[in-house]
Amino acid sequence: MYFIISFLLAAINMSTPTSLHDFKIQRLDSEETLHLSDYAGKKILIVNVASRCGYTSQYEDLQQLYSAYQDKLEIVGFPCNQFANQESGSEATIAAFCNATYGVTFPMTTKVHVKGSDQHPIYQWLTQKEQNGVNDFKVRWNFNKFLIDEQGQLLAYFPSSVNPYDDEILKYFK
């Protein structure tokens, strides 16, 4: 009986994160940790980004969206080099590019894998219904977007082709 109770208690403590707020990740080109729980009370737009992609110009609209709604929105960019080697630079290079080219002020994270066997736990949560409670999603290219509500729950998914300043996204802030 003692063994069964110990096992159940261990299973409870090893449970799957129930909210995006349960995660933390290293910031881009920094030793600092980004705690997603710091954004409780705001919507969060998670975007896998790349510097040399046909969608890279979306950085401009992401920054515009962030500037317009930063009182109720946080955008977090996740650099990823899994699509046609479009984010092959160092983290310092990525940070310099985003700052100089698009004036990015929203948080960026260390490079991650958004799919495959090395998929980052945040992207496991975002893409697997058994974890996010909403649906299964497949990240097919750079600039996929996941919108998280104020409580850290998945609210919506947008493919690369949906521009950050599209009405499909803006309706969540009006």
Side-chain angles (χ1 to χ4, degrees):
M1 183 69 154
Y2 173 78
F3 175 75
I4 292 171
I5 292 171
S6 296
F7 176 78
L8 291 173
L9 288 173
I12 290 169
N13 289 333
M14 294 173 40
S15 65
T16 302
T18 58
S19 159
L20 190 76
H21 295 157
D22 295 334
F23 293 97
K24 60 186 176 183
I25 186 170
Q26 185 178 334
R27 288 181 178 265
L28 181 67
D29 195 31
S30 169
E31 294 299 319
E32 292 179 37
T33 300
L34 178 69
H35 296 267
L36 294 172
S37 60
D38 289 347
Y39 305 131
K42 286 184 169 186
K43 287 184 174 67
I44 306 170
L45 189 65
I46 302 289
V47 186
N48 64 304
V49 296
S51 301
R52 295 188 324 248
C53 173
Y55 294 109
T56 300
S57 63
Q58 286 189 13
Y59 268 123
E60 184 174 347
D61 290 321
L62 286 167
Q63 183 58 45
Q64 183 180 355
L65 184 68
Y66 182 64
S67 295
Y69 297 102
Q70 67 186 36
D71 59 324
K72 54 184 157 189
L73 169 70
E74 197 62 55
I75 295 175
V76 183
F78 286 72
C80 175
N81 193 37
Q82 288 187 284
F83 303 101
N85 205 35
Q86 294 180 345
E87 191 64 277
S88 60
S90 70
E91 293 188 353
T93 301
I94 296 166
F97 169 81
C98 291
N99 185 34
T101 309
Y102 294 103
V104 169
T105 60
F106 54 83
M108 299 278 288
T109 73
T110 189
K111 275 190 194 181
V112 300
H113 285 103
V114 299
K115 64 179 188 162
S117 61
D118 291 332
Q119 184 181 42
H120 191 279
I122 290 173
Y123 271 85
Q124 290 174 12
W125 187 88
L126 290 168
T127 61
Q128 297 173 16
K129 182 178 182 176
E130 68 180 36
Q131 293 192 40
N132 65 44
V134 176
N135 208 342
D136 289 321
F137 298 99
K138 189 168 190 147
V139 179
R140 298 184 189 279
W141 203 251
N142 302 306
F143 290 88
N144 280 222
K145 299 153 200 78
F146 293 88
L147 185 62
I148 311 303
D149 71 14
E150 293 83 351
Q151 291 75 42
Q153 301 304 309
L154 184 59
L155 187 60
Y157 164 80
F158 307 96
S160 307
S161 59
V162 175
N163 186 284
Y165 228 76
D166 189 283
D167 285 337
E168 204 174 328
I169 293 177
L170 288 178
K171 73 181 181 184
Y172 289 96
F173 306 107
K174 294 181 177 180

PDB file of all heavy atoms in Angstrom, residues 81-96:
ATOM      1  N   ASN A  81      16.035  27.217 -36.475  1.00  0.00           N
ATOM      2  CA  ASN A  81      16.772  26.967 -37.714  1.00  0.00           C
ATOM      3  C   ASN A  81      16.364  25.638 -38.350  1.00  0.00           C
ATOM      4  O   ASN A  81      17.151  24.996 -39.025  1.00  0.00           O
ATOM      5  CB  ASN A  81      18.281  26.973 -37.436  1.00  0.00           C
ATOM      6  CG  ASN A  81      19.088  27.026 -38.713  1.00  0.00           C
ATOM      7  OD1 ASN A  81      18.718  27.674 -39.671  1.00  0.00           O
ATOM      8  ND2 ASN A  81      20.208  26.307 -38.738  1.00  0.00           N
ATOM      9  N   GLN A  82      15.132  25.218 -38.175  1.00  0.00           N
ATOM     10  CA  GLN A  82      14.701  23.923 -38.692  1.00  0.00           C
ATOM     11  C   GLN A  82      14.094  23.983 -40.091  1.00  0.00           C
ATOM     12  O   GLN A  82      13.724  22.950 -40.638  1.00  0.00           O
ATOM     13  CB  GLN A  82      13.681  23.294 -37.740  1.00  0.00           C
ATOM     14  CG  GLN A  82      14.314  22.806 -36.459  1.00  0.00           C
ATOM     15  CD  GLN A  82      13.318  22.057 -35.626  1.00  0.00           C
ATOM     16  OE1 GLN A  82      12.461  22.650 -34.994  1.00  0.00           O
ATOM     17  NE2 GLN A  82      13.433  20.730 -35.648  1.00  0.00           N
ATOM     18  N   PHE A  83      13.966  25.165 -40.663  1.00  0.00           N
ATOM     19  CA  PHE A  83      13.323  25.289 -41.963  1.00  0.00           C
ATOM     20  C   PHE A  83      14.289  25.940 -42.952  1.00  0.00           C
ATOM     21  O   PHE A  83      14.517  27.149 -42.907  1.00  0.00           O
ATOM     22  CB  PHE A  83      12.029  26.102 -41.834  1.00  0.00           C
ATOM     23  CG  PHE A  83      11.064  25.498 -40.845  1.00  0.00           C
ATOM     24  CD1 PHE A  83      10.942  26.020 -39.569  1.00  0.00           C
ATOM     25  CD2 PHE A  83      10.303  24.391 -41.180  1.00  0.00           C
ATOM     26  CE1 PHE A  83      10.071  25.460 -38.640  1.00  0.00           C
ATOM     27  CE2 PHE A  83       9.431  23.823 -40.267  1.00  0.00           C
ATOM     28  CZ  PHE A  83       9.321  24.356 -38.986  1.00  0.00           C
ATOM     29  N   ALA A  84      14.865  25.129 -43.827  1.00  0.00           N
ATOM     30  CA  ALA A  84      15.752  25.583 -44.911  1.00  0.00           C
ATOM     31  C   ALA A  84      16.938  26.413 -44.423  1.00  0.00           C
ATOM     32  O   ALA A  84      17.390  27.314 -45.116  1.00  0.00           O
ATOM     33  CB  ALA A  84      14.953  26.342 -45.969  1.00  0.00           C
ATOM     34  N   ASN A  85      17.411  26.132 -43.195  1.00  0.00           N
ATOM     35  CA  ASN A  85      18.603  26.801 -42.667  1.00  0.00           C
ATOM     36  C   ASN A  85      18.474  28.331 -42.683  1.00  0.00           C
ATOM     37  O   ASN A  85      19.426  29.046 -42.973  1.00  0.00           O
ATOM     38  CB  ASN A  85      19.833  26.348 -43.466  1.00  0.00           C
ATOM     39  CG  ASN A  85      21.111  26.470 -42.680  1.00  0.00           C
ATOM     40  OD1 ASN A  85      21.135  26.267 -41.480  1.00  0.00           O
ATOM     41  ND2 ASN A  85      22.192  26.808 -43.366  1.00  0.00           N
ATOM     42  N   GLN A  86      17.269  28.826 -42.350  1.00  0.00           N
ATOM     43  CA  GLN A  86      16.991  30.260 -42.455  1.00  0.00           C
ATOM     44  C   GLN A  86      17.287  31.044 -41.174  1.00  0.00           C
ATOM     45  O   GLN A  86      17.066  32.248 -41.127  1.00  0.00           O
ATOM     46  CB  GLN A  86      15.539  30.469 -42.894  1.00  0.00           C
ATOM     47  CG  GLN A  86      15.311  29.948 -44.300  1.00  0.00           C
ATOM     48  CD  GLN A  86      13.887  30.129 -44.783  1.00  0.00           C
ATOM     49  OE1 GLN A  86      12.968  30.386 -44.027  1.00  0.00           O
ATOM     50  NE2 GLN A  86      13.714  30.019 -46.079  1.00  0.00           N
ATOM     51  N   GLU A  87      17.807  30.355 -40.159  1.00  0.00           N
ATOM     52  CA  GLU A  87      18.220  31.045 -38.931  1.00  0.00           C
ATOM     53  C   GLU A  87      19.513  30.410 -38.447  1.00  0.00           C
ATOM     54  O   GLU A  87      19.616  29.915 -37.332  1.00  0.00           O
ATOM     55  CB  GLU A  87      17.123  30.950 -37.871  1.00  0.00           C
ATOM     56  CG  GLU A  87      17.352  31.851 -36.671  1.00  0.00           C
ATOM     57  CD  GLU A  87      17.331  33.318 -37.011  1.00  0.00           C
ATOM     58  OE1 GLU A  87      18.382  33.829 -37.467  1.00  0.00           O
ATOM     59  OE2 GLU A  87      16.297  33.960 -36.827  1.00  0.00           O
ATOM     60  N   SER A  88      20.532  30.432 -39.305  1.00  0.00           N
ATOM     61  CA  SER A  88      21.782  29.734 -39.011  1.00  0.00           C
ATOM     62  C   SER A  88      22.784  30.573 -38.225  1.00  0.00           C
ATOM     63  O   SER A  88      23.782  30.046 -37.751  1.00  0.00           O
ATOM     64  CB  SER A  88      22.429  29.256 -40.313  1.00  0.00           C
ATOM     65  OG  SER A  88      22.709  30.372 -41.144  1.00  0.00           O
ATOM     66  N   GLY A  89      22.525  31.854 -38.065  1.00  0.00           N
ATOM     67  CA  GLY A  89      23.468  32.725 -37.370  1.00  0.00           C
ATOM     68  C   GLY A  89      23.521  32.466 -35.875  1.00  0.00           C
ATOM     69  O   GLY A  89      22.671  31.790 -35.299  1.00  0.00           O
ATOM     70  N   SER A  90      24.529  33.034 -35.247  1.00  0.00           N
ATOM     71  CA  SER A  90      24.656  32.938 -33.786  1.00  0.00           C
ATOM     72  C   SER A  90      23.541  33.747 -33.130  1.00  0.00           C
ATOM     73  O   SER A  90      22.897  34.590 -33.771  1.00  0.00           O
ATOM     74  CB  SER A  90      26.011  33.481 -33.347  1.00  0.00           C
ATOM     75  OG  SER A  90      26.039  34.892 -33.520  1.00  0.00           O
ATOM     76  N   GLU A  91      23.351  33.532 -31.858  1.00  0.00           N
ATOM     77  CA  GLU A  91      22.327  34.284 -31.140  1.00  0.00           C
ATOM     78  C   GLU A  91      22.650  35.776 -31.116  1.00  0.00           C
ATOM     79  O   GLU A  91      21.758  36.608 -31.225  1.00  0.00           O
ATOM     80  CB  GLU A  91      22.130  33.700 -29.748  1.00  0.00           C
ATOM     81  CG  GLU A  91      21.533  32.312 -29.846  1.00  0.00           C
ATOM     82  CD  GLU A  91      21.117  31.708 -28.532  1.00  0.00           C
ATOM     83  OE1 GLU A  91      21.398  32.292 -27.464  1.00  0.00           O
ATOM     84  OE2 GLU A  91      20.488  30.631 -28.578  1.00  0.00           O
ATOM     85  N   ALA A  92      23.922  36.121 -31.023  1.00  0.00           N
ATOM     86  CA  ALA A  92      24.320  37.537 -31.065  1.00  0.00           C
ATOM     87  C   ALA A  92      23.972  38.146 -32.420  1.00  0.00           C
ATOM     88  O   ALA A  92      23.501  39.284 -32.508  1.00  0.00           O
ATOM     89  CB  ALA A  92      25.805  37.678 -30.775  1.00  0.00           C
ATOM     90  N   THR A  93      24.189  37.379 -33.486  1.00  0.00           N
ATOM     91  CA  THR A  93      23.864  37.851 -34.834  1.00  0.00           C
ATOM     92  C   THR A  93      22.355  38.048 -34.993  1.00  0.00           C
ATOM     93  O   THR A  93      21.906  39.040 -35.575  1.00  0.00           O
ATOM     94  CB  THR A  93      24.381  36.844 -35.891  1.00  0.00           C
ATOM     95  OG1 THR A  93      25.794  36.723 -35.737  1.00  0.00           O
ATOM     96  CG2 THR A  93      24.060  37.289 -37.300  1.00  0.00           C
ATOM     97  N   ILE A  94      21.586  37.110 -34.472  1.00  0.00           N
ATOM     98  CA  ILE A  94      20.117  37.212 -34.540  1.00  0.00           C
ATOM     99  C   ILE A  94      19.654  38.459 -33.795  1.00  0.00           C
ATOM    100  O   ILE A  94      18.849  39.240 -34.310  1.00  0.00           O
ATOM    101  CB  ILE A  94      19.452  35.954 -33.947  1.00  0.00           C
ATOM    102  CG1 ILE A  94      19.794  34.726 -34.776  1.00  0.00           C
ATOM    103  CG2 ILE A  94      17.942  36.135 -33.853  1.00  0.00           C
ATOM    104  CD1 ILE A  94      19.463  33.404 -34.094  1.00  0.00           C
ATOM    105  N   ALA A  95      20.152  38.655 -32.593  1.00  0.00           N
ATOM    106  CA  ALA A  95      19.762  39.816 -31.788  1.00  0.00           C
ATOM    107  C   ALA A  95      20.111  41.119 -32.507  1.00  0.00           C
ATOM    108  O   ALA A  95      19.289  42.050 -32.559  1.00  0.00           O
ATOM    109  CB  ALA A  95      20.430  39.761 -30.416  1.00  0.00           C
ATOM    110  N   ALA A  96      21.311  41.197 -33.064  1.00  0.00           N
ATOM    111  CA  ALA A  96      21.738  42.412 -33.775  1.00  0.00           C
ATOM    112  C   ALA A  96      20.864  42.655 -35.002  1.00  0.00           C
ATOM    113  O   ALA A  96      20.449  43.786 -35.266  1.00  0.00           O
ATOM    114  CB  ALA A  96      23.208  42.290 -34.179  1.00  0.00           C
TER     115      ALA A  96
END
